Amino acid sequence: GDSVTQMEGPVTLSEEAFLTINCTYTATGYPSLFWYVQYPGEGLQLLLKATKADDKGSNKGFEATYRKETTSFHLEKGSVQVSDSAVYFCALRSYSSASKIIFGSGTRLSIRP
Amino acid sequence: DTGVSQDPRHKITKRGQNVTFRCDPISEHNRLYWYRQTLGQGPEFLTYFQNEAQLEKSRLLSDRFSAERPKGSFSTLEIQRTEQGDSAMYLCASSPEWDRGDQETQYFGPGTRLLVL
């Protein structure tokens, strides 16, 4: 079945460092891909998405490109801030399903001042 | 802000008791979803409603779980004869219809954290 595998955490970086969180997926057809973020004490929020191959999703300085050839959707940010400390979830919604989103296990990111 | 709301936010119960959670979706959204999230894991899909119709149920949703959305607005998730393994965060999400913009996005509520003693 469809699945998402993402980099295990926790990841600890210094402020202004470059961030990459790896994500790969297994799915039939052409899924839509997402990154969700969960800040401490808050609910899941959509960070960015891409719905077809080679699309780049971007938001708040974060970017991820839908790579079908490598079945990947890695999250990147050029310069992280303390406020980016959160848990990040890579996810997919398969083309054949109108409902469920399949999530990875999450990567906890901590940024040191 | 009229985002997805869930009630209660926290629930502690004893094993064997029944619990019920409520979800109020964003008012114009006709699709509603329930997920369960255990510690250190991503959310797992439980069930999905389009209006009042329950269209999909996960194998995770055992016979002790039942979800309803009687008028196509709010939804309830009931767990009967709770077990310690039911301890988790229960998340609700909603999304608009397919023929409107942003239909890919599911908007999540803050969750109900259940602890079964």
Side-chain angles (χ1 to χ4, degrees):
Chain A
D2 297 350
S3 65
V4 175
T5 302
Q6 65 180 101
M7 182 173 164
E8 287 191 17
V11 173
T12 303
L13 296 172
S14 297
E15 204 166 20
E16 299 184 2
F18 183 85
L19 168 71
T20 299
I21 301 178
N22 290 336
C23 172
T24 57
Y25 67 89
T26 301
T28 54
Y30 299 90
S32 296
L33 301 175
F34 308 86
W35 277 99
Y36 277 82
V37 59
Q38 193 169 35
Y39 296 104
E42 298 185 18
L44 276 170
Q45 301 173 26
L46 178 68
L47 180 59
L48 53 85
K49 65 182 181 184
T51 58
K52 60 182 187 295
D54 299 325
D55 267 3
K56 178 186 284 188
S58 62
N59 187 25
K60 299 182 180 181
F62 291 89
E63 293 183 339
T65 301
Y66 189 141
R67 301 286 189 199
K68 185 161 181 61
E69 63 277 12
T70 54
T71 62
S72 65
F73 193 55
H74 304 320
L75 182 68
E76 296 182 336
K77 186 174 185 182
S79 177
V80 293
Q81 305 300 313
V82 172
S83 58
D84 294 327
S85 297
V87 182
Y88 292 81
F89 293 92
C90 185
L92 69 82
R93 188 187 65 78
S94 66
Y95 181 78
S96 60
S97 170
S99 55
K100 64 183 174 184
I101 291 178
I102 296 170
F103 288 86
S105 57
T107 302
R108 181 175 298 277
L109 174 67
S110 295
I111 307 299
R112 294 187 299 252
Chain B
D1 183 358
T2 56
V4 178
S5 61
Q6 294 187 242
D7 184 69
R9 295 290 304 274
H10 302 274
K11 178 71 177 179
I12 300 174
T13 191
K14 293 183 179 179
R15 188 178 54 181
Q17 298 294 304
N18 299 344
V19 294
T20 300
F21 309 140
R22 176 180 170 125
C23 170
D24 286 90
I26 294 171
S27 59
E28 62 268 26
H29 288 181
N30 71 332
R31 295 175 173 228
L32 187 146
Y33 315 80
W34 285 98
Y35 291 81
R36 181 173 69 187
Q37 184 179 16
T38 53
L39 201 61
Q41 299 298 314
E44 295 175 292
F45 172 80
L46 292 178
T47 190
Y48 153 63
F49 290 85
Q50 181 163 320
N51 299 312
E52 65 275 10
Q54 189 174 18
L55 297 184
E56 189 170 350
K57 292 169 62 173
S58 163
R59 287 172 294 178
L60 292 175
L61 214 64
S62 75
D63 291 345
R64 296 184 297 104
F65 287 70
S66 63
E68 295 182 342
R69 195 182 183 199
K71 297 182 180 179
S73 57
F74 73 91
S75 175
T76 57
L77 177 68
E78 181 183 17
I79 309 174
Q80 296 182 326
R81 305 181 303 281
T82 52
E83 302 173 354
Q84 289 182 325
D86 297 331
S87 296
M89 176 79 85
Y90 290 85
L91 298 171
C92 177
S94 69
S95 69
E97 295 181 36
W98 279 102
D99 60 347
R100 300 186 183 184
D102 208 19
Q103 66 270 27
E104 293 281 355
T105 302
Q106 293 184 15
Y107 296 84
F108 283 80
T112 295
R113 185 171 295 283
L114 172 66
L115 177 61
V116 181
L117 302 176

